[in-house]
Amino acid sequence: MKKGWMGTTAVLLTASLLAAGCGSKGNEEKPSASANGSQGASPSASASGSAKTEENVNLVWYTIGTPPKDLKKVNDAVNDYIKDKIHATVEMKLLDWGDYSQKMQIIIASGEPYDIAFTSSWANDYFGNAKKGAFYELDGLLEKEGKGAKEALNPAFLEGTKVNGHNYGLPTNKELPQQRVFRFNKTLVDKYKLDLSQVKTIQDLEPLLKTVKENEPGLNPIPGKIAEFLPFDLPINDLPFIGVPLDTKEYKLINVWDTPEAMSYLETVHKYYQAGYFPKDVATQTDAGDYFKTGKWLVDVADAQPYADNLWSNDAGYGVVSVPMQDPITFNWSVAGSLQAINAKSKHPEKAMEFLNLLYTDANLVNLIDFGIEGVHYKKTGEQSKDAIPDSGYGFPAFTTGNMMLTYLNTNDPADKWEKFKEFNDSATSAPLLGFQADTSSITTEIANLKNAKDSTYNALFSGTIDPKDNLPKVNKKLKDSGLDKVMAELQKQIDAWRASK
Amino acid sequence: MRTFFRDLNKNKAFLTMVLPGAIWFIVFCYLPMPGALLAFKQYRFDQGGFFAALLHGEWTGFKNFEFLFRAEDAYIITRNTVLYNLVFIFLGLALSVSMAIILFNLTQKRWAKFYQTAMFLPYFLSWVIVSYFAFSFLSVDKGILNHILAWFGAEPIQWYADKTYWPFILVFMSMWKSVGYSSVIYLAAISGIDKSYYEAAMIDGASKWQQTTRITVPLIKPMMIILTILAIGGIFRADFGLFFQIPRDSGLLFPVTNVIDTYVYRSMKVLGDFGLASAAGFYQSVVGFVLVIGANWFVKKVNEEQALF
């Protein structure tokens, strides 16, 4: 009796599975064929593309940001504008900051159709997705449909975002290098007449911290975790103990945490922690609270761009000044701060590239997408400047897309802002590993172990909570036990091969 | 075939009742089953959709499982997962059964309802919220516990940096959150016991304690066995929220808070590899399956009537 039931159910289940399997197999032929066609024999692909120009192509574009109320209105305006230019329309889909990575991961993994998507080193992981084949290879498109974008970008952008020698995303034209700075609360700096001209490294902060701590006992001069700056370039950002010195000649990987630089840095932060310059629970702080609003802080660490002090002061409502710790350096992850990529399975990669290209060459379009409709969402106050209309119902993170140098300035921005950005980008030196992408497929086990080993101590060490003298050797031993040597040897091999191929 | 339809007709009321649950299981548990293949494959996106990637992905054998066993911490995470779960299962069983019996024996039914609701409430809170409750007690400079310690003139304790206390904190938090829920299940079972047993016992002069040990516990024993066997199936699955949120991801506590699930989560954050993640899930499920079968076999040996299947 029972057996009969089970048998029937099993048959039903198997049948449904087979049906699902067959269905997908049928579908899968098409996209791969079209992808091959357009990559291998581009004339035929573009011919079929031009034959279709009469029927309008609709591009689905996922990008990051809080969906504004008037998105539909602006989207319609965008479509009116581009319809005649590229014979395509675009459907803008904004996913909120916190959800973006996760939702995109599902969209990509499940094969949901889309054409363009935002990607970066910090959300919707660019390098990982590109390596796994999620994005369309842009090399060919950049020579044709994307020519304008290529010309607008500093070459280091495309060089630094290559994966296995190919481009899979189009970087936003914005600041290129990283420049880590100490950021100071100017109110306190003025009050105690602190001398910032002597500050360059973390060690130099001591007298300033001391003065403030003595005079303002209720205040933690460093309000939260600070990002370290050690002069090394890291092949895998999540494993900050494997690196080459920034001034390297031989590109030899070393254990960064086993260097005098790291020890000296950690001893300094430990000294600061014991002196009470950090909050007591800094190691487990999930966020440092809104110290910008309360003004209860002296110094923290941030990454700068030209005129960043203005930006921060506007944010805080009082003066914020910064002192650089380093000259601007272009790292892999700073180059990949913001890109737009085309879906590997997109049916219209050429159209998608035409649209992206407009974002780098057509000031009207970029300003429309970034700021909304003139007179509704912003007022023009000059040839190149505008003011946002408060609560107008539209906002878009401009840094996520296109050519920022084409966008209007805010009325109180210095007129030479974009000039300064270009200078900043040109002044940057390249990090030694710029353009190198590690292939982790043969060392996944070791990387998983190392990542756990790192997590178990990183926050405690780099917040100064534990003494590096006793603990750092222990940590280094644990890293060794977790396969550090094997990972370093494998990465070294890859770096040597990469250099030889250049 | 005819007997099949006759059965169908005879049991249609029960079958209709079971239908929603059955559909849920088919859709969310049986249909995704082929996805377990991912554990043995190298997963890539660009092969025309999920199923194609599943079918045509390169076979890698047991390579995806390696990271779980070759891990430097493999021993620690497995030990933590299993020991914590054993404590949760058996301490939870003892506490929730005793709580159910106490609630059942309360004469003031209004108060019993109140306690029951109050204890049930934590079950609905997310671990993220609970972690902030815990933080308000355990924070180094603002926490209630350190203020109490200071009041007695004791040194404040770095709760999130000192691993000695955490096995107790975690067990306490887990019990606080789950006992209310499971005691309601036992309370329902106790309420279903025929009152005449107790009346007969009272006439014979049995004390409350004797009634409990001789009537209540034996009669809810099948329920206890079923729930325990099912819980043992999850012994390799740790409550991620508990082990990740409550210690605030503090690295110094890893020796006592790192479990298989948090380990996998941390590794996947760098690697983002579906194959490895599936391998970890598959491994946990297989071990759970074996343990359920084993536990059932053991119960069957002792008392055939009370085995689950």
Side-chain angles (χ1 to χ4, degrees):
Chain A
M1 225 157 62
K2 266 184 190 159
K3 288 256 167 65
W5 249 111
M6 298 263 271
T8 323
T9 329
V11 168
L12 274 173
L13 270 176
T14 337
S16 68
L17 282 177
L18 278 174
C22 293
S24 69
K25 211 169 178 185
N27 287 339
E28 151 247 338
E29 301 297 327
K30 283 179 226 153
S32 67
S34 78
N36 285 341
S38 51
Q39 265 170 340
S42 51
S44 71
S46 66
S48 71
S50 61
K52 265 192 246 164
T53 41
E54 292 312 309
E55 54 174 302
N56 227 338
V57 169
N58 187 39
L59 301 167
V60 176
W61 177 24
Y62 281 105
T63 192
I64 197 167
T66 310
K69 202 174 75 211
D70 281 357
L71 180 62
K72 178 94 184 48
K73 221 192 251 175
V74 173
N75 197 160
D76 289 344
V78 168
N79 284 338
D80 283 343
Y81 185 75
I82 61 171
K83 215 180 316 180
D84 301 329
K85 281 192 185 314
I86 58 169
H87 300 286
T89 52
V90 59
E91 189 180 345
M92 297 165 70
K93 292 190 173 184
L94 267 72
L95 303 176
D96 221 330
W97 300 97
D99 304 336
Y100 189 78
S101 292
Q102 213 181 350
K103 284 195 178 157
M104 279 317 294
Q105 206 175 3
I106 294 168
I107 289 167
I108 291 172
S110 65
E112 194 187 313
Y114 73 95
D115 297 288
I116 307 172
F118 173 79
T119 170
S120 70
S121 54
W122 51 274
N124 191 19
D125 179 32
Y126 168 70
F127 295 114
N129 278 321
K131 270 181 244 166
K132 282 193 212 123
F135 299 143
Y136 194 86
E137 189 202 297
L138 304 181
D139 297 10
L141 297 178
L142 279 171
E143 297 305 325
K144 292 182 62 197
E145 289 85 354
K147 225 169 165 190
K150 194 179 177 186
E151 275 160 18
L153 286 166
N154 186 318
F157 271 119
L158 291 171
E159 191 51 44
T161 51
K162 278 190 176 158
V163 176
N164 302 329
H166 304 288
N167 284 100
Y168 293 91
L170 207 48
T172 303
N173 195 15
K174 60 184 194 83
E175 81 274 9
L176 174 68
Q178 174 212 40
Q179 185 173 36
R180 206 150 266 183
V181 298
F182 289 115
R183 205 156 59 155
F184 291 90
N185 177 348
K186 193 156 181 298
T187 326
L188 289 179
V189 171
D190 293 346
K191 189 169 166 193
Y192 298 108
K193 305 201 170 45
L194 304 175
D195 180 12
L196 300 186
S197 64
Q198 298 304 313
V199 174
K200 172 90 185 160
T201 65
I202 183 127
Q203 285 83 358
D204 306 332
L205 293 175
E206 189 162 22
L208 320 184
L209 294 166
K210 198 157 183 275
T211 316
V212 171
K213 186 74 192 169
E214 274 164 10
N215 292 296
E216 312 255 345
L219 174 150
N220 296 309
I222 311 177
K225 264 177 245 167
I226 50 173
E228 74 271 19
F229 177 72
L230 297 171
F232 297 92
D233 192 12
L234 317 170
I236 300 174
N237 246 326
D238 273 307
L239 304 180
F241 36 80
I242 303 173
V244 297
L246 283 175
D247 54 5
T248 189
K249 291 279 177 299
E250 15 341 296
Y251 290 78
K252 175 134 181 42
L253 286 171
I254 52 167
N255 177 358
V256 173
W257 290 3
D258 206 9
T259 59
E261 287 95 334
M263 188 48 128
S264 146
Y265 178 88
L266 292 174
E267 279 181 337
T268 311
V269 282
H270 182 58
K271 193 165 69 186
Y272 291 175
Y273 179 80
Q274 285 186 315
Y277 301 154
F278 283 102
K280 269 229 168 66
D281 54 1
V282 58
T284 52
Q285 248 179 5
T286 40
D287 68 288
D290 206 352
Y291 57 85
F292 248 56
K293 282 262 150 50
T294 61
K296 288 196 167 180
W297 64 287
L298 172 68
V299 57
D300 71 355
V301 168
D303 291 331
Q305 45 165 262
Y307 294 117
D309 287 4
N310 290 5
L311 210 72
W312 293 324
S313 301
N314 274 342
D315 240 19
Y318 49 83
V320 173
V321 288
S322 62
V323 179
M325 299 181 209
Q326 44 148 143
D327 294 326
I329 299 172
T330 310
F331 291 98
N332 278 324
W333 63 264
S334 73
V335 183
S338 160
L339 305 104
Q340 297 285 348
I342 297 175
N343 184 358
K345 289 174 227 142
S346 168
K347 295 210 171 65
H348 316 284
E350 296 85 9
K351 278 284 168 230
M353 182 50 101
E354 277 181 48
F355 172 69
L356 288 177
N357 192 53
L358 275 187
L359 293 175
Y360 288 80
T361 50
D362 191 318
N364 292 331
L365 178 63
V366 179
N367 282 309
L368 177 60
I369 288 177
D370 285 349
F371 307 125
I373 300 160
E374 188 184 344
V376 181
H377 302 113
Y378 70 91
K379 295 193 291 278
K380 278 198 87 170
T381 53
E383 184 72 7
Q384 279 307 313
S385 61
K386 58 101 184 125
D387 268 333
I389 295 173
D391 302 320
S392 63
Y394 188 76
F396 187 94
F399 78 89
T400 57
T401 185
N403 189 349
M404 275 188 89
M405 317 271 174
L406 294 179
T407 59
Y408 300 137
L409 298 168
N410 285 324
T411 309
N412 52 8
D413 272 339
D416 63 346
K417 184 169 170 182
W418 298 135
E419 301 306 311
K420 277 279 186 300
F421 263 72
K422 279 182 192 136
E423 276 171 36
F424 185 65
N425 289 351
D426 292 339
S427 76
T429 50
S430 297
L433 298 181
L434 184 64
F436 169 73
Q437 289 308 324
D439 173 9
T440 54
S441 55
S442 64
I443 40 176
T444 42
T445 303
E446 287 75 15
I447 288 183
N449 295 345
L450 285 172
K451 168 77 166 120
N452 270 275
K454 176 221 157 188
D455 280 354
S456 72
T457 42
Y458 179 80
N459 281 339
L461 265 180
F462 280 83
S463 64
T465 313
I466 56 175
D467 189 348
K469 263 212 198 66
D470 310 331
N471 289 292
L472 201 54
K474 277 191 225 157
V475 173
N476 283 326
K477 175 163 184 313
K478 176 142 194 188
L479 293 178
K480 265 202 177 329
D481 292 342
S482 303
L484 181 66
D485 292 333
K486 184 174 172 197
V487 172
M488 290 223 288
E490 171 63 27
L491 292 174
Q492 188 70 61
K493 206 174 78 198
Q494 293 181 15
I495 289 172
D496 292 344
W498 167 72
R499 282 187 67 212
S501 73
K502 278 219 298 187
Chain B
M1 210 51 177
R2 184 172 304 153
T3 44
F4 169 73
F5 281 111
R6 211 175 47 219
D7 277 347
L8 204 66
N9 195 36
K10 204 167 74 190
N11 296 323
K12 58 179 177 247
F14 293 120
L15 289 172
T16 318
M17 275 193 262
V18 114
L19 194 63
I23 290 174
W24 188 90
F25 268 106
I26 288 170
V27 171
F28 291 106
C29 295
Y30 286 95
L31 284 184
M33 212 61 117
L37 275 184
L38 266 190
F40 305 96
K41 295 234 170 182
Q42 167 108 24
Y43 186 74
R44 284 178 59 89
F45 293 133
D46 55 346
Q47 291 159 323
F50 179 77
F51 286 103
L54 194 62
L55 290 171
H56 305 307
E58 191 190 325
W59 285 97
T60 54
F62 284 93
K63 196 164 163 289
N64 286 337
F65 292 85
E66 266 177 26
F67 87 112
L68 278 174
F69 300 102
R70 293 229 331 262
E72 167 65 11
D73 293 328
Y75 165 70
I76 292 181
I77 55 173
T78 315
R79 180 201 67 185
N80 284 350
T81 314
V82 172
L83 284 187
Y84 276 119
N85 274 328
L86 280 177
V87 173
F88 293 164
I89 290 170
F90 290 104
L91 191 63
L93 176 71
L95 283 179
S96 34
V97 170
S98 359
M99 205 51 83
I101 291 170
I102 293 171
L103 284 176
F104 178 69
N105 284 316
L106 278 181
T107 37
Q108 288 272 3
K109 285 299 162 205
R110 267 238 308 259
W111 281 112
K113 276 267 171 312
F114 171 75
Y115 293 135
Q116 196 183 323
T117 316
M119 283 189 349
F120 202 57
L121 206 60
Y123 180 78
F124 293 105
L125 296 175
S126 96
W127 280 121
V128 180
I129 294 168
V130 177
S131 81
Y132 282 93
F133 288 172
F135 184 62
S136 69
F137 281 91
L138 301 175
S139 158
V140 180
D141 44 355
K142 300 180 200 79
I144 297 173
L145 286 187
N146 272 354
H147 277 287
I148 296 176
L149 285 178
W151 196 63
F152 284 113
E155 280 290 304
I157 293 170
Q158 292 263 13
W159 293 102
Y160 289 97
D162 192 339
K163 63 183 187 198
T164 30
Y165 309 100
W166 279 86
F168 305 102
I169 297 175
L170 289 172
V171 170
F172 175 81
M173 294 314 292
S174 171
M175 290 300 113
W176 173 76
K177 200 160 179 295
S178 65
V179 161
Y181 178 76
S182 40
S183 67
V184 168
I185 297 176
Y186 289 114
L187 187 58
I190 297 174
S191 308
I193 297 174
D194 195 335
K195 292 282 175 301
S196 53
Y197 288 124
Y198 293 101
E199 281 158 17
M202 266 188 284
I203 291 169
D204 288 346
S207 68
K208 271 276 171 211
W209 177 247
Q210 282 169 325
Q211 288 176 29
T212 305
T213 51
R214 302 283 164 79
I215 300 172
T216 316
V217 173
L219 282 173
I220 59 168
K221 206 161 121 199
M223 177 71 105
M224 286 157 63
I225 290 173
I226 289 172
L227 289 181
T228 306
I229 291 178
L230 291 178
I232 283 173
I235 208 162
F236 260 55
R237 265 175 223 290
D239 189 341
F240 179 80
L242 171 66
F243 291 98
F244 189 77
Q245 304 288 356
I246 301 292
R248 295 172 78 78
D249 198 16
S250 168
L252 294 173
L253 305 176
F254 280 8
V256 295
T257 60
N258 213 359
V259 288
I260 296 177
D261 295 73
T262 52
Y263 184 84
V264 171
Y265 174 76
R266 291 195 182 97
S267 314
M268 289 314 120
K269 268 201 331 201
V270 220
L271 294 165
D273 190 314
F274 286 94
L276 294 188
S278 315
F282 187 72
Y283 165 62
Q284 288 177 312
S285 306
V286 168
V287 175
F289 180 70
V290 170
L291 285 173
V292 168
I293 301 286
N296 190 63
W297 173 83
F298 180 74
V299 172
K300 216 174 193 168
K301 276 260 139 152
V302 179
N303 183 344
E304 186 134 13
E305 299 245 302
Q306 285 169 336
L308 195 52
F309 44 83

